[in-house]
Amino acid sequence: MKKTIFAAAMMAATAMGANVASAAKTINGAGATFPYPVYSQWAHDYNKITGVRLNYQAIGSGGGIKQIKAKTVDFGASDAPLKADQLDKFGLMQFPMIMGGVVPVVHVQGIKAGQLKLSASNLADIYLGNITKWNDKRITANNPGLSLPATDITVVHRADGSGTTWIFTNYLTKVSSQWANTLGNAKAVAWPVGLGGKGNQGVAAFVNKINGSIGYVEYAYALQNHMASVLLQNQSGNYVAPTSKNFQSAAAGADWKHAKGYYMVLTNQPGANSWPITGASFILLYKTQMNPAQGKEVLKFFNWSYNNGAHAAEKLDYVPMPKAVADMVRATWSKVLKDRHGHAIWK
Amino acid sequence: MHGQRRSPQESVYHMNTATQSRWGDAIFRAITISFAIGILLLFVGIIIALWHESLPSIHKFGFSFLTSSAWNPVKDDFGAWIAIVGTLLSTCLAMLIAIPLSLGVALFLAELAPEWMKAPFGTAIELLAAIPSIVYGMWGLFVLAPIMSDYVQPWLADHFGFLPFFTGPAMGIGMLTAGLVLALMILPFIASVTRDVFLMVPQNLKEAAYGMGCTTWEVVRDIMIPYGKKGIAGAVFLGMGRALGETMAVTFVIGNAYHLSWSLFAPGNSIASTLANEFTEADSDIYLSSLVELGLVLFLITFIVLGIAQLWLKRGQQGGGR
């Protein structure tokens, strides 16, 4: 009797072991929240075709960098690119995976989406606390015919460190010398005014609740929450709306070929229609893959996404990477990604 | 309440005298002692870990960490002052609102409510304590904040606007809302414990007072509150401990801004919400270390507050509790 039970238990254990082995094709990643919607869409489609699962934890760009340094994940994701010397220091490589826009949104009584025009310096002055009322002369001068109330401006920013903030403050650093000298470009800065919401969702909630507020969110959140986005003045002096087309225009001029370690920031790009606060999101991998089979699974997923993910990305209002850039990235994979013995893992 | 608490020394003493000779009890005793020591070790371990991790920040900022109101991740310049003020201020506000409210609730349930009302109302109050804090936070953000900005804050500004506490734009998000949400969170704790304390006031004391012609108010003021003073203090400190460390509910409504303001309408920050917001994205070592030191500060604040409470309760005990 005992023996049969034992045998049955052994069989069950073996069967379970087999199950685990076949389900082991999971790739793990962690990082930026900004591209999370499109990564999960890709993962869903990819899983249906190949059975490989992507486990992506959207814990934020800084978290993604920390996790890959701690080697708890197969890849990290960050909205803020690492500089070439940083990459070398940790033996990492990075490549751009997707692009999108950061959008200033307002909640002012009587103002609808696409009505309020903001110049670059006005946006900076609002976030610096230099402009405190919506009917300030500097704002009304750009908005003839629009009646703006004498409401106090409530500035909303991110409370947590964030890649979205990194892109936003990178833009403000480029367009305002006062911003560059006093606050700078980082995932979290010493905001001189305003209140902080947690995550894109938190900022969206505060802006929706508070009359007279302005915030900045990733484009998809502005769309989902039906928020009033502004027309922002770009480098060419035109007031442009946040649309996929205008993000693409900003991305088009990017010279990826000469960007060392794919370090590329897409804010304040030239072009008549370019949306000025555009950014790319990056994937981080170890140059030396200790488990080449697993590393190859990761690359297969991103390769599939480059080839087949454009439609899904556009539907979610992201900008897919152009084919030329994808080819460049694949060439880089072949060149720098090695297993322990120095053999390339992507051929 | 008083009877249920038996100090560890007493328990060990009971085991010592009664059943030491038996093996089973010896083993049982060893296991429970190891549990108790384990807790102590854990406690010491947490302090050491916090201390060790915050060493870089302690070395860099020294004592001025406690008094500096800087918080600049770009320049790696950090100070705890704004977060300390925010933590203490939001807790004080919560206590100011919650103590009178919960005393009222407890008195009503223990003394004034008709019999059929006591059970359902008492259970309802206790159920409030079971609501997860994140739900309080969401409720605070989506329901309370609009009410505050549309009705409460304009009214306060109109009638008390001459005070510096009620000035500035009515955003609905800020210190006052955080205090209010905290007050609602700790109210059930204080109310239900206080009700139990009031129920333990001996019937004959109250009857004697009524017999002498006291009004209900006089019985409450001169008999019940003095009798239950210690228990009420315990309940208040229980609530205070929860308010000091509350994280999610506060993070939702306090505004998460590093500014000091006299106005209660203005956004602020607390230690716990700073940690919740910034821990995952703290990328420089000194940033992370400063956050850990903030945690150490919160630990010490809670420790000091509860220590004072314990001392005070002990003193009350020796004085006979009256």
Side-chain angles (χ1 to χ4, degrees):
Chain A
M1 185 63 195
K2 254 189 181 167
K3 257 189 183 164
T4 37
I5 291 174
F6 179 73
M10 276 302 287
M11 269 166 72
T14 326
M16 268 160 68
N19 262 340
V20 170
S22 72
K25 275 198 175 167
T26 298
I27 49 184
N28 296 303
T33 48
F34 172 93
Y36 175 60
V38 64
Y39 288 174
S40 49
Q41 181 64 46
W42 285 344
H44 179 75
D45 297 343
Y46 189 65
N47 178 256
K48 266 198 282 188
I49 300 167
T50 61
V52 175
R53 279 188 12 161
L54 169 69
N55 173 20
Y56 182 75
Q57 299 168 48
I59 53 173
S61 296
I65 294 171
K66 247 190 274 175
Q67 294 295 317
I68 187 81
K69 280 181 187 167
K71 302 188 179 177
T72 53
V73 288
D74 300 322
F75 69 89
S78 169
D79 299 329
L82 290 184
K83 290 234 166 76
D85 58 329
Q86 279 277 314
L87 290 170
D88 290 341
K89 194 172 144 198
F90 296 102
L92 290 166
M93 67 99 51
Q94 74 185 353
F95 55 89
M97 200 58 224
I98 191 77
M99 298 178 284
V102 176
V103 180
V105 286
V106 295
H107 177 177
V108 186
Q109 219 138 43
I111 305 289
K112 293 194 195 70
Q115 283 189 333
L116 182 71
K117 292 175 179 168
L118 281 183
S119 69
S121 60
N122 279 351
L123 182 65
D125 278 336
I126 288 173
Y127 269 85
L128 281 163
N130 298 338
I131 297 179
T132 56
K133 295 263 187 203
W134 280 111
N135 64 350
D136 190 289
K137 278 202 191 78
R138 284 165 281 187
I139 301 180
T140 51
N142 295 329
N143 291 283
L146 197 65
S147 82
L148 286 156
T151 323
D152 288 316
I153 299 179
T154 301
V155 168
V156 183
H157 50 75
R158 287 285 286 268
D160 45 344
S162 139
T164 311
T165 299
W166 192 92
I167 295 171
F168 187 70
T169 55
N170 180 276
Y171 171 67
L172 293 181
T173 304
K174 280 182 181 167
V175 296
S176 156
S177 57
Q178 194 192 343
W179 188 279
N181 293 332
T182 55
L183 296 161
N185 175 203
K187 290 199 279 281
V189 299
W191 301 100
V193 287
L195 63 161
K198 190 164 169 56
N200 274 305
Q201 207 59 60
V203 171
F206 279 178
V207 173
N208 275 335
K209 289 278 166 294
I210 301 168
N211 186 29
S213 60
I214 180 169
Y216 61 91
V217 291
E218 198 271 314
Y219 184 51
Y221 291 87
L223 279 185
Q224 280 161 18
N225 294 295
H226 311 289
M227 307 185 81
S229 54
V230 303
L231 299 178
L232 201 56
Q233 192 179 31
N234 65 14
Q235 213 195 43
S236 317
N238 299 329
Y239 287 95
V240 290
T243 60
S244 327
K245 236 181 76 195
N246 293 344
F247 301 155
Q248 257 155 19
S249 162
D255 182 11
W256 289 102
K257 206 165 182 178
H258 295 97
K260 199 174 173 216
Y262 293 104
Y263 183 90
M264 171 66 74
V265 184
L266 297 169
T267 56
N268 209 27
Q269 292 287 309
N273 294 320
S274 295
W275 176 253
I277 323 180
T278 304
S281 199
F282 297 83
I283 300 294
L284 295 164
L285 289 176
Y286 275 104
K287 283 182 187 165
T288 308
Q289 294 283 322
M290 286 306 171
N291 182 349
Q294 180 74 0
K296 196 156 179 197
E297 285 299 332
V298 174
L299 294 179
K300 269 166 131 178
F301 169 70
F302 287 121
N303 184 46
W304 178 90
S305 302
Y306 274 141
N307 291 335
N308 308 292
H311 182 65
E314 276 163 359
K315 249 172 86 179
L316 291 165
D317 298 292
Y318 289 89
V319 183
M321 300 308 296
K323 192 175 172 302
V325 179
D327 287 338
M328 238 185 308
V329 169
R330 279 185 278 248
T332 312
W333 288 349
S334 311
K335 214 169 77 190
V336 305
L337 291 176
K338 302 276 161 66
D339 67 10
R340 203 169 344 188
H341 311 293
H343 302 300
I345 63 168
W346 185 261
K347 282 156 201 153
Chain B
M1 170 80 203
H2 305 277
Q4 287 165 357
R5 284 208 184 141
R6 184 186 265 175
S7 70
Q9 295 93 326
E10 273 172 1
S11 309
V12 171
Y13 173 78
H14 279 275
M15 282 193 293
N16 267 338
T17 51
T19 55
Q20 205 176 22
S21 56
R22 280 185 244 153
W23 267 105
D25 278 5
I27 293 167
F28 183 68
R29 187 182 156 193
I31 291 173
T32 50
I33 285 179
S34 69
F35 287 167
I37 291 175
I39 291 289
L40 206 64
L41 286 178
L42 201 63
F43 175 79
V44 174
I46 288 173
I47 293 186
I48 292 174
L50 282 175
W51 174 262
H52 181 257
E53 291 297 312
S54 46
L55 273 180
S57 156
I58 292 171
H59 280 308
K60 180 164 176 188
F61 302 114
F63 191 73
S64 73
F65 183 78
L66 296 178
T67 55
S68 155
S69 53
W71 192 268
N72 190 336
V74 181
K75 302 198 168 99
D76 275 342
D77 184 12
F78 301 102
W81 181 240
I82 290 176
I84 293 176
V85 170
T87 304
L88 294 178
L89 185 59
S90 59
T91 304
C92 282
L93 275 175
M95 300 316 285
L96 278 178
I97 302 166
I99 292 176
L101 273 180
S102 43
L103 278 183
V105 169
L107 273 175
F108 176 74
L109 287 177
E111 199 63 7
L112 303 171
E115 211 50 48
W116 61 269
M117 242 178 161
K118 286 183 180 175
F121 269 61
T123 314
I125 296 281
E126 275 160 16
L127 277 180
L128 274 180
I131 297 176
S133 63
I134 189 133
V135 175
Y136 275 103
M138 282 158 66
W139 174 82
L141 177 59
F142 290 109
V143 181
L144 186 63
I147 295 174
M148 294 293 287
S149 69
D150 294 348
Y151 304 104
V152 181
Q153 292 185 343
W155 186 87
L156 282 171
D158 282 350
H159 293 81
F160 300 100
F162 55 89
L163 295 170
F165 312 122
F166 304 111
T167 52
M171 298 182 291
I173 307 282
M175 211 45 104
L176 187 63
T177 312
L180 210 57
V181 170
L182 274 181
L184 288 174
M185 286 189 66
I186 59 176
L187 186 143
F189 286 90
I190 306 181
S192 60
V193 175
T194 309
R195 180 200 57 184
D196 293 347
V197 170
F198 283 154
L199 285 176
M200 280 176 2
V201 176
Q203 202 60 32
N204 50 8
L205 266 183
K206 284 190 287 185
E207 274 162 12
Y210 281 121
M212 284 166 65
C214 287
T215 60
T216 310
W217 166 241
E218 282 166 341
V219 172
V220 167
R221 191 190 59 191
D222 296 330
I223 306 288
M224 294 178 68
I225 291 185
Y227 189 90
K229 213 165 55 186
K230 246 188 314 160
I232 297 169
V236 165
F237 283 116
L238 187 73
M240 193 193 252
R242 175 139 200 228
L244 279 173
E246 176 46 44
T247 308
M248 277 336 284
V250 174
T251 308
F252 268 68
V253 293
I254 199 166
N256 303 308
Y258 290 98
H259 310 298
L260 279 182
S261 168
W262 282 107
S263 174
L264 297 178
F265 293 178
N269 222 336
S270 79
I271 295 178
S273 61
T274 302
L275 291 179
N277 277 323
E278 303 188 18
F279 214 85
T280 49
E281 292 274 344
D283 40 15
S284 79
D285 292 340
I286 195 77
Y287 192 176
L288 198 63
S289 167
S290 299
L291 285 173
V292 176
E293 191 176 349
L294 266 189
L296 184 67
V297 170
L298 180 60
F299 198 70
L300 291 178
I301 290 177
T302 320
F303 196 71
I304 291 169
V305 166
L306 292 182
I308 292 173
Q310 288 285 339
L311 278 179
W312 193 45
L313 288 179
K314 272 244 168 69
R315 214 191 51 186
Q317 229 160 19
Q318 282 155 2
R322 227 126 301 177

